[in-house]
Amino acid sequence: MRRFLIPLVFAAAGLGAAESPPGTPAPPAPPAAAAIHDIRGPVAVDSLPPFALTGGALLLAGSAFWLQRKLRRRQATVGSPGADGQPEASAVLARLAADYRRGACSGSQLIVCLDDLLRSTLADRTGIAAQRLTSSELLLQAAAFLDDRGQGLLKPLVALCDRVKFAAHQPDASEIDGALTSAASLFDGSLAGPA
């Protein structure tokens, strides 16, 4: 490697010597700060930078999303049955019972529909988020709105619905009749809504 470097150094020294005549001093190098300069001056901005519009749009969208979530949490409305154009729970229950008796749905389907009707009625009349709660959570929260008789009707009804939905229990005719009677009593009496 040294063999190649030494002739290279001599050749570079010879080139530098060939450019200037011997005995003349080399011109002084310009200072480094003077050699560096801008290609052009600063650009004058006469409008908003492009990221300001994007940032404003993101801020507006985030605020709208936050407001929507806040309002949705506050909307725990307690309405009277049938006030929003939906049929009353007792009318839906009567239709379910009629469908079951004429063979349009099985006993298991009836109990699953009954559970959905019960939870949606609880949600409408008490403000409980009944569709999102487990059965034990539902019984705890519904206890604040039901008397002892209503709690006594609700507990076995919810237990039967759980057995049918989660344990594939096939209810017999007496269980179905008892569930329909309990639900009718709840809808007409204990869950009749605020006075």
Side-chain angles (χ1 to χ4, degrees), residues 117-128:
L117 177 64
L118 178 68
R119 287 176 180 266
S120 61
T121 303
L122 274 169
D124 289 343
R125 295 184 184 180
T126 63
I128 297 172

Side-chain angles (χ1 to χ4, degrees), residues 157-186:
L157 185 58
V158 169
L160 175 65
C161 293
D162 282 350
R163 282 197 314 272
V164 170
K165 287 192 322 187
F166 302 118
H169 174 70
Q170 295 296 322
D172 58 15
S174 64
E175 287 177 315
I176 292 172
D177 289 338
L180 289 171
T181 304
S182 296
S185 298
L186 279 169

Side-chain angles (χ1 to χ4, degrees), residues 4 8 11-13 24 35 48 56 74 101 106-107 127 143 150 166 173 175-177 181:
F4 297 111
L8 227 112
T24 52
L48 290 174
R74 286 189 181 175
R101 288 193 176 96
S106 68
F166 302 118
E175 287 177 315
I176 292 172
D177 289 338
T181 304

